Amino acid sequence: MLLLLLILMPVVGSIIAALMPTNARNREAWLAGGIAFVGLVITAYLYTQIGPGELGTGELGTGELGTGDVVRYQLEWMPDYGLNFILRMDGLAWMFSMLIQGIGVLVVIYARYYMSPEDPVPRFFSFFLAFMASMLGVVLSGNLIQLVVFWELTSLTSFLLIGYWHHRADARRGARMAFTVTATGGLCLLVGVLMLGHIVGSYSLDVVLASGDLIRAHPWYLPTLILIALGALTKSAQFPFHFWLPHAMAAPTPVSAFLHSATMVKAGVFLLMRLWPSLSGTPEWTLIIGGAGLCTLLIGAFTAIFQHDLKGLLAYSTISHLGLITLLLGIGTPLAMVAALFHTLNHATFKASLFMAAGIIDHESGTRDMRHLRGLFKVLPYTATLAIVASAAMAGVPLLNGFLSKEMFFAEALAVGSARNWSMSAAAVLMGIFSVAYSLRFINVFFGPLATDLPRTPHEPPRWMRFPVEFLVLCCLVVGVIPGLSIGPFLNTAAISVLGEQTPGYSLSVWHGFNLPLLMSVVALGGGVLLYIWLRTRHGLIQSNRVPFLYRFNGKQAYESTMLRISSSASLLEKLLSTRRVQPQLLLMITLLLAVPLLIVRPVSLLTFSANGEFSPLFAGLWVIGAICAVAAAWQAKYHRLAALSLVGGVGIVVSITFLWLSAPDLALTQLMVETVTTVLILLGLRWLPARITPKELNMRATRLSWFRRSRDMVVAVVAGLCMSIVSYAVLVRSAPVGSISDFFMTRALSEGGGSNVVNVLLVDFRNFDTLGEIVVLAVVALTVYALLRRFRPAPESLPIPAQQTNNVDPAAGQTPVQQVESGYLMVPAVYLRMLLPIMVVIAAYFFIRGHNLPGGGFVAGLTFAVAIIVQYMLGGTTWVEKHLRLQPHRWIAFGLIIACATGLGSWLFGYPFLTTHTAHMTLPILGEIHLPSAFVFDLGVFGVVVGSTILILVALAHQSVRSHRLPISNIAPVINKEAN
């Protein structure tokens, strides 16, 4: 349960933060920081249940703590398909969880002082907590499909964080670029995971990790590896997808410190570590993963030297260090895995502190341009000292944490090569030289004469804004001096969770004697210093405006060109296959709908059906009436909308009677109520459409081409209508085959669903997950219609009062709608309908209560209740109804969705799959024994959403009339005069 709490806390906190006032800066920071800190404490406590297990040899202690177990929490979702909600914490997940929440706490403290009072801080912390929950979901997922869902949520929430300052074009552009690249990689990952699950026969992470030999021997191994690698490499900004990360620096610095040091960019390397036991150990793995890491390692380090923006330098250095970790994972040896884990921790600490230091410099001086920054040590002595130590850790200076993991990298580079192949060692040293050079470039802003042309006069930040940097730099020092005591047990726990019995013996000693890795470190340090001096004095590093050799390969330009080509191709395709006219589109769709089934299904099978009963002239006459109404509606639709709507309503009534004739009263009742509601809502919408002018009024005559086109469309429409009628009738009257699914529902509706109305039990019990999705869609559609209609403004010619109401002889013409209801000709029917309102509400309640056993249910009851409100609007008018009835449809929708979801979550609390129903049997006085299924509560949620959605659309349409009545007469009079003339 604690694992579930780790994810639920930031989710709930995100919702609460979004609802807080904009001036609640301290409360929002306390909320976000408190949630991250509590999660950190819970995660630290869980270490006692996983522990380091049996340790490898070396200076790591004895490891009495813990047994190396895995903590699990499972909620059944679809157990028959192996899709359950599983949270799983082992040593690797524990390490990343501590990293996410630990850095998260520090970033919240930092952001409290960094963010401007003008910034919408609630939105920032809401996005921040949502991203934290998504990242925790990724590292704790025990099901691969679930992991991909959280993976894509990190892409979505990071898009919101990177584009937080959406008023800036660079922030919007950077957010779109990051989302496009990472989300595309996520789609590749989804396909790869599906293939991986097919190979193994399960999506459970435990099963996948235990099936490494089966996966590597399968013919699908290579395509699966490529697809999963694409997901990981795009997320961790590896070559050739590294270009998005520098442009994500448009985000606020707290976002960069969190996403681009310890969380989002680490998700890709986490995935490679997570699946290392299953996918590594092949030449393909080394070539793809190691090759991408090696290219990224060198390109990122070299490009970082020539950046002029502090965050740009840190971005490319992050790319390089991620390439180092990826290369270690690609090498594929157990010691390389240990080094990758160690450098993941080290990089998070010194890089987060450097991002925050860069943010302090920007916050206090007003710029991040290193061409203008110098001498800052004089005015920012504490911050400068901290940044210099962190930069030294990034450069791999001894007695700092970066030195230890980089020496492990040098050792693995030597082990991979041979006496005749020093290429990997040379690349490692070259990367070390570059890292020293760009670290010196960062440090240089603190020395020299103080700049006098800065936008603001720099000074030390508030004490608590500097505290996160101090803490992280202290971690760099402690780990660098006493690594075995400070980080050793935790590193070993993570290594054992990945490597298991392959965990090698290793030492985290600061001094290993004089050896080749030490010599490589010395060469890298010395070479980096010399390279920086040469570039600064001879190459004009400060004045350089492009990266030597690599400036021709512009990843951003390639991305923009690709997106432009995709857009151009889509436009061309749309031009060739589409049109702005509806009629050709409908012709194409209907023709395909007629042709495709004939190619898939045998045409004879559509015609060979047996009717259950004799031919009925009355039933045939009913369908003839429906056909006449349909044809007449199509004939009148263009110029006589009201008549066409009435005829369509007639078709709906015929359909309803058909359902009733064929013993489907539930469908008949639902069809009748839907027809009533939609007819009224469409009628309200038609009021605001401008009148159509007939060709006769314009003295126009149809050409032969027009007659041909209309004849062709009529033939296609008639054929399509007849085919659909035949198919519909065949489906309605066909006998159910033996062993069909209908037998399953009919035999189990009462015993397992607690109701004798099979249709309702099917909707709220057997297929309630489908129903939940449908009411969510209904709510989204209603909110969308409401939002669009709030912005909708009718055409000027639609604003005047209809001609039928402008008759001066009619005494009602001079009255407002409210006056017509209170004292005019609508007073009597309005009173009747007010008296009818409680009766209709009782009828709705009757349909709702009996729905589990007799025709009815939440959907029909909701529509009946909505009709009761609609007739009040029709007679009483918008102003009168909203004055006397507090409807608040938004709350109805929220209430319905919450109730429906709570029903599903309630089953989880009792250990059953989501939305599992239960029937309680209670004996009450007078009433006797009653059956109360939990599906009844779910149906109440359906009722709430249907009522809220219908009334919301009704209110949106009704308010158009209110707005039109508020218009000045001077705005309407010219239109009226023009029509009169």
Side-chain angles (χ1 to χ4, degrees):
M1 193 65 182
L2 290 177
L3 295 180
L4 182 62
L5 193 62
L6 288 179
I7 296 178
L8 286 181
M9 283 194 307
V11 170
V12 175
S14 174
I15 298 172
I16 295 174
L19 299 176
M20 282 187 171
T22 55
N23 58 352
R25 294 171 58 83
N26 289 327
R27 280 179 286 173
E28 291 147 0
W30 276 103
L31 173 69
I35 288 174
F37 181 75
V38 172
L40 188 68
V41 172
I42 293 174
T43 306
Y45 165 74
L46 290 174
Y47 183 75
T48 61
Q49 301 182 35
I50 55 175
E54 297 195 7
L55 305 177
T57 59
E59 303 173 10
L60 297 178
T62 58
E64 295 86 4
L65 186 64
T67 60
D69 294 333
V70 177
V71 180
R72 290 182 178 84
Y73 180 79
Q74 177 171 328
L75 293 172
E76 290 188 348
W77 184 272
M78 288 185 283
D80 292 342
Y81 296 95
L83 296 179
N84 296 317
F85 184 81
I86 304 174
L87 297 178
R88 178 185 184 277
M89 178 179 281
D90 58 2
L92 179 66
W94 183 88
M95 184 189 86
F96 274 88
S97 298
M98 289 293 291
L99 206 59
I100 294 165
Q101 294 168 119
I103 300 293
V105 172
L106 299 176
V107 169
V108 168
I109 298 173
Y110 178 82
R112 161 62 184 84
Y113 297 94
Y114 179 88
M115 303 303 291
S116 169
E118 288 76 24
D119 290 326
V121 179
R123 182 155 55 87
F124 172 81
F125 284 114
S126 177
F127 296 162
F128 180 87
L129 290 172
F131 176 81
M132 180 183 290
S134 304
M135 274 301 304
L136 288 170
V138 169
V139 301
L140 295 177
S141 288
N143 183 287
L144 292 180
I145 301 296
Q146 173 188 325
L147 185 148
V148 174
V149 172
F150 281 112
W151 184 279
E152 291 295 62
L153 285 175
T154 61
S155 296
L156 180 61
T157 49
S158 65
F159 168 79
L160 297 174
L161 283 170
I162 296 171
Y164 173 74
W165 283 329
H166 54 79
H167 59 279
R168 290 172 41 179
D170 59 338
R172 298 194 301 271
R173 190 181 304 112
R176 285 197 301 269
M177 186 182 297
F179 180 76
T180 302
V181 175
T182 57
T184 304
L187 293 176
C188 296
L189 175 63
L190 175 60
V191 178
V193 161
L194 292 174
M195 295 175 66
L196 191 62
H198 178 79
I199 294 172
V200 177
S202 173
Y203 296 107
S204 172
L205 186 60
D206 292 315
V207 177
V208 171
L209 294 180
S211 306
D213 293 335
L214 173 64
I215 295 171
R216 287 185 286 268
H218 200 276
W220 286 10
Y221 168 72
L222 182 57
T224 302
L225 173 62
I226 292 174
L227 290 168
I228 293 176
L230 285 173
L233 298 179
T234 52
K235 186 72 82 172
S236 287
Q238 296 298 285
F239 177 85
F241 311 107
H242 61 284
F243 56 86
W244 69 263
L245 184 57
H247 295 90
M249 294 299 109
T253 299
V255 173
S256 302
F258 190 53
L259 269 65
H260 306 138
S261 66
T263 53
M264 180 181 177
V265 294
K266 292 294 197 309
V269 295
F270 166 80
L271 181 66
L272 297 176
M273 293 174 181
R274 180 85 287 172
L275 297 179
W276 190 88
S278 302
L279 299 177
S280 67
T282 64
E284 295 86 352
W285 169 273
T286 302
L287 178 64
I288 296 173
I289 305 301
L294 180 61
C295 294
T296 310
L297 175 83
L298 296 175
I299 292 173
F302 183 71
T303 307
I305 300 174
F306 299 92
Q307 300 302 303
H308 300 304
D309 178 27
L310 283 173
K311 288 179 66 176
L313 183 150
L314 295 177
Y316 278 103
S317 69
T318 298
I319 292 171
S320 177
H321 283 273
L322 291 170
L324 187 153
I325 298 170
T326 304
L327 176 57
L328 285 169
L329 295 173
I331 289 173
T333 62
L335 268 176
M337 169 58 72
V338 175
L341 290 167
F342 192 24
H343 196 69
T344 299
L345 292 171
N346 293 337
H347 175 260
T349 51
F350 64 68
K351 189 53 63 68
S353 62
L354 285 171
F355 269 118
M356 293 183 194
I360 290 174
I361 295 171
D362 183 24
H363 190 269
E364 302 304 329
S365 66
T367 182
R368 300 195 308 257
D369 193 334
M370 289 183 285
R371 291 170 294 188
H372 302 291
L373 293 169
R374 60 184 181 276
L376 293 178
F377 195 94
K378 297 180 177 61
V379 289
L380 297 170
Y382 297 110
T383 301
T385 303
L386 296 171
I388 290 171
V389 175
S391 299
M394 180 169 64
V397 174
L399 297 182
L400 294 170
N401 59 352
F403 170 76
L404 298 173
S405 54
K406 193 169 290 187
E407 273 220 329
M408 295 178 74
F409 168 57
F410 288 157
E412 285 305 300
L414 288 169
V416 170
S418 61
R420 297 182 178 181
N421 184 7
W422 291 83
S423 57
M424 182 66 74
S425 302
V429 172
L430 189 60
M431 177 267 179
I433 293 172
F434 292 158
S435 65
V436 172
Y438 63 66
S439 298
L440 289 172
R441 181 83 195 278
F442 189 95
I443 292 173
N444 185 67
V445 302
F446 300 109
F447 298 101
L450 180 63
T452 57
D453 57 346
L454 299 177
R456 290 194 289 267
T457 303
H459 57 81
E460 284 290 351
R463 174 70 183 79
W464 284 100
M465 185 178 181
R466 200 174 59 238
F467 167 77
V469 187
E470 296 171 342
F471 181 83
L472 291 171
V473 170
L474 178 63
C475 290
C476 294
L477 288 167
V478 171
V479 173
V481 176
I482 48 173
L485 295 176
S486 58
I487 200 67
F490 311 117
L491 176 62
N492 196 73
T493 303
I496 289 175
S497 67
V498 178
L499 299 172
E501 297 179 353
Q502 299 181 29
T503 305
Y506 59 92
S507 175
L508 293 182
S509 300
V510 177
W511 176 253
H512 294 90
F514 293 101
N515 51 23
L516 281 177
L518 178 63
L519 177 62
M520 294 168 70
S521 296
V522 173
V523 171
L525 289 171
V529 173
L530 294 176
L531 175 64
Y532 175 72
I533 294 173
W534 180 78
L535 289 174
R536 185 174 175 82
T537 56
R538 298 296 181 89
H539 189 271
L541 181 62
I542 302 299
Q543 292 77 27
S544 176
N545 291 320
R546 62 186 186 185
V547 181
F549 310 115
L550 297 180
Y551 68 90
R552 296 182 179 88
F553 306 98
N554 192 325
K556 176 189 173 184
Q557 185 62 43
Y559 165 80
E560 298 287 356
S561 299
T562 302
M563 297 303 294
L564 183 60
R565 289 191 181 95
I566 292 174
S567 179
S568 301
S569 301
S571 300
L572 178 61
L573 192 64
E574 182 182 13
K575 184 178 180 181
L576 294 175
L577 301 179
S578 181
T579 175
R580 299 184 65 178
R581 297 177 58 219
V582 177
Q583 197 168 12
Q585 296 181 27
L586 288 175
L587 176 64
L588 178 62
M589 287 190 292
I590 297 299
T591 304
L592 291 176
L593 286 174
L594 286 173
V596 172
L598 296 178
L599 300 176
I600 300 175
V601 185
R602 290 179 303 168
V604 181
S605 63
L606 298 178
L607 303 175
T608 56
F609 57 86
S610 58
N612 296 330
E614 299 180 355
F615 173 77
S616 172
L618 183 60
F619 185 75
L622 179 67
W623 273 47
V624 170
I625 294 174
I628 293 173
C629 289
V631 173
W635 184 266
Q636 297 288 326
K638 190 168 185 178
Y639 300 108
H640 304 282
R641 301 187 186 112
L642 182 59
L645 181 61
S646 303
L647 291 166
V648 169
V651 176
I653 293 174
V654 170
V655 173
S656 180
I657 297 174
T658 300
F659 287 141
L660 189 62
W661 186 286
L662 297 174
S663 302
D666 263 297
L667 295 179
L669 189 58
T670 303
Q671 173 65 29
L672 184 62
M673 299 310 302
V674 168
E675 198 65 41
T676 303
V677 171
T678 53
T679 299
V680 173
L681 294 180
I682 294 174
L683 184 62
L684 291 174
L686 291 180
R687 159 69 178 86
W688 303 108
L689 293 180
R692 298 293 295 266
I693 303 176
T694 63
K696 185 177 180 180
E697 294 174 332
L698 297 175
N699 295 322
M700 295 175 59
R701 297 183 62 182
T703 62
R704 292 184 179 181
L705 181 61
S706 299
W707 279 109
F708 171 77
R709 177 175 52 81
R710 293 172 185 174
S711 302
R712 177 202 62 194
D713 293 346
M714 183 183 70
V715 171
V716 173
V718 170
V719 172
L722 288 175
C723 290
M724 287 304 300
S725 299
I726 294 172
V727 172
S728 300
Y729 185 76
V731 171
L732 288 171
V733 302
R734 66 191 286 269
S735 300
V738 179
S740 68
I741 194 172
S742 59
D743 295 332
F744 172 87
F745 292 124
M746 294 184 70
T747 56
R748 289 171 171 78
L750 183 59
S751 59
E752 298 183 12
S756 56
N757 182 3
V758 181
V759 175
N760 187 262
V761 173
L762 175 66
L763 292 175
V764 301
D765 191 325
F766 292 120
R767 302 295 298 272
N768 50 10
F769 191 73
D770 289 346
T771 305
L772 178 62
E774 289 165 2
I775 63 174
V776 169
V777 171
L778 179 62
V780 170
V781 169
L783 293 170
T784 304
V785 171
Y786 178 76
L788 291 174
L789 288 177
R790 286 189 66 186
R791 298 278 184 178
F792 171 72
R793 293 298 179 266
E797 57 268 25
S798 301
L799 293 177
I801 298 174
Q804 299 91 327
Q805 301 180 20
T806 57
N807 187 356
N808 295 327
V809 179
D810 186 359
Q815 295 178 332
T816 64
V818 176
Q819 292 172 340
Q820 292 172 1
V821 171
E822 294 181 348
S823 58
Y825 74 104
L826 293 179
M827 181 179 68
V828 174
V831 171
Y832 281 141
L833 285 176
R834 291 171 204 164
M835 297 173 61
L836 193 61
L837 177 62
I839 298 176
M840 297 183 71
V841 172
V842 171
I843 294 173
Y846 171 70
F847 278 136
F848 175 75
I849 294 172
R850 75 176 221 162
H852 217 53
N853 295 289
L854 294 170
F859 194 82
V860 172
L863 291 175
T864 305
F865 187 88
V867 169
I869 302 299
I870 286 174
V871 295
Q872 301 300 318
Y873 268 92
M874 292 176 65
L875 268 296
T878 305
T879 306
W880 187 92
V881 173
E882 295 185 357
K883 181 180 178 182
H884 293 81
L885 298 177
R886 294 178 59 85
L887 298 174
Q888 298 178 329
H890 297 85
R891 296 190 179 183
W892 280 87
I893 295 175
F895 166 79
L897 292 177
I898 291 172
I899 290 294
C901 293
T903 307
L905 296 175
S907 60
W908 267 356
L909 297 178
F910 294 96
Y912 292 97
F914 184 70
L915 282 174
T916 301
T917 59
H918 175 72
T919 302
H921 301 271
M922 298 182 295
T923 302
L924 299 178
I926 302 176
L927 297 178
E929 184 180 3
I930 64 172
H931 309 282
L932 185 62
S934 60
F936 181 84
V937 182
F938 180 82
D939 214 11
L940 181 62
V942 176
F943 172 83
V945 173
V946 171
V947 171
S949 300
T950 307
I951 295 178
L952 186 63
I953 297 175
L954 170 67
V955 168
L957 290 168
H959 280 195
Q960 292 294 329
S961 297
V962 175
R963 280 194 287 267
S964 67
H965 286 302
R966 290 174 183 165
L967 286 174
I969 300 298
S970 58
N971 290 354
I972 299 179
V975 179
I976 299 176
N977 295 334
K978 182 178 179 181
E979 291 182 350
N981 293 333

